[in-house]
Amino acid sequence: MQLVFNAREYREFATVHFGGDDVSLYGTPKEEPGPGPMGAPPGEGPSKPSFLKNQLQALFQPTDNKLAMKLFGSKKALMKERIRQKAAGHWVIHPCSSFRFYWDLCMLLLLVANLIILPVAISFFNDDLSTRWIAFNCLSDTIFLIDIVVNFRTGIMQQDNAEQVILDPKIIAKNYLKTWFFLDLISSIPLDYIFLIFNQVKILT
């Protein structure tokens, strides 16, 4: 067998092994893409619900903001904290996460709005309850009730050891029940509307 090919033989060899679209660079058949997850068509990525779920869970993880970098000191320590947070549970919110930052900002703006609007409404409008006023009250009360659920799933930063954030859901729930839960619950209950409903029932009966 000759080890040296002339130019014509080399072209024929290249045509056989590298010429087709269904042949890979090394002359082997190309692999067909398998079916995607959850019965998705071939070649498509993960399904939309799982993508949205991953994006939402990423919001719960600590980000490289000033507070997180001050606590953990380096990107490597921050990555370890992300792994620890993911192992704690899918719906545990880290106190240094983007979700918690924007949620606290939203709650602050809502509290300021209530502090300004409530005295004005009580002083000048008395019993004249418009649809917008009722809608605003219902919306703010609903958000305050949702905040209780968020607090049940938010990690706790220890005062003596700030670098070690408590991410155990059971410990978080017990700590919240002992501290701010009842105060948050009482302040979130729409007592004015409850009394209004009872008064309407008494009038009708």
Side-chain angles (χ1 to χ4, degrees):
M1 181 179 178
Q2 293 181 351
L3 297 177
V4 181
F5 297 104
N6 56 29
R8 183 177 179 182
E9 291 174 341
Y10 178 78
R11 282 197 301 270
E12 291 177 356
F13 177 80
T15 303
V16 172
H17 292 279
F18 301 100
D21 291 337
D22 57 344
V23 179
S24 68
L25 181 62
Y26 299 101
T28 57
K30 290 183 178 179
E31 294 183 359
E32 294 293 333
M38 299 179 64
E44 289 191 2
S47 60
K48 201 169 185 179
S50 62
F51 173 77
L52 294 175
K53 182 180 178 181
N54 291 334
Q55 292 297 315
L56 185 60
Q57 289 175 0
L59 289 175
F60 295 161
Q61 293 185 343
T63 55
D64 53 350
N65 52 34
K66 291 183 179 180
L67 176 60
M69 295 307 296
K70 185 177 180 180
L71 288 176
F72 304 114
S74 65
K75 296 267 187 169
K76 186 177 180 180
L78 182 62
M79 291 302 296
K80 289 181 179 180
E81 184 67 13
R82 287 179 180 176
I83 295 172
R84 195 173 72 89
Q85 185 267 347
K86 193 172 182 180
H90 292 297
W91 303 108
V92 176
I93 305 169
H94 199 281
C96 298
S97 62
S98 298
F99 175 85
R100 189 66 209 191
F101 173 78
Y102 289 112
W103 181 260
D104 289 341
L105 184 62
C106 175
M107 294 300 298
L108 178 62
L109 294 175
L110 191 60
L111 285 171
V112 171
N114 275 278
L115 289 173
I116 296 173
I117 294 174
L118 279 176
V120 173
I122 293 171
S123 302
F124 298 102
F125 296 99
N126 294 328
D127 295 332
D128 185 18
L129 297 176
S130 64
T131 306
R132 293 180 180 179
W133 168 247
I134 295 174
F136 173 77
N137 265 344
C138 292
L139 178 63
S140 60
D141 291 337
T142 303
I143 294 176
F144 287 138
L145 289 172
I146 294 174
D147 183 59
I148 294 176
V149 179
V150 172
N151 288 331
F152 268 113
R153 304 300 296 178
T154 302
I156 305 168
M157 297 177 64
Q158 302 182 60
Q159 295 181 355
D160 53 346
N161 186 14
E163 294 182 3
Q164 186 68 26
V165 179
I166 298 174
L167 297 174
D168 188 349
K170 293 182 180 179
I171 299 177
I172 293 171
K174 288 179 181 179
N175 182 78
Y176 185 51
L177 287 171
K178 292 178 182 178
T179 52
W180 294 99
F181 171 71
F182 291 104
L183 182 61
D184 289 344
L185 182 63
I186 293 171
S187 61
S188 301
I189 296 175
L191 296 175
D192 49 348
Y193 290 115
I194 292 174
F195 290 138
L196 184 64
I197 292 170
F198 277 119
N199 288 332
Q200 293 293 329
V201 171
K202 287 181 180 179
I203 293 171
L204 292 174
T205 55

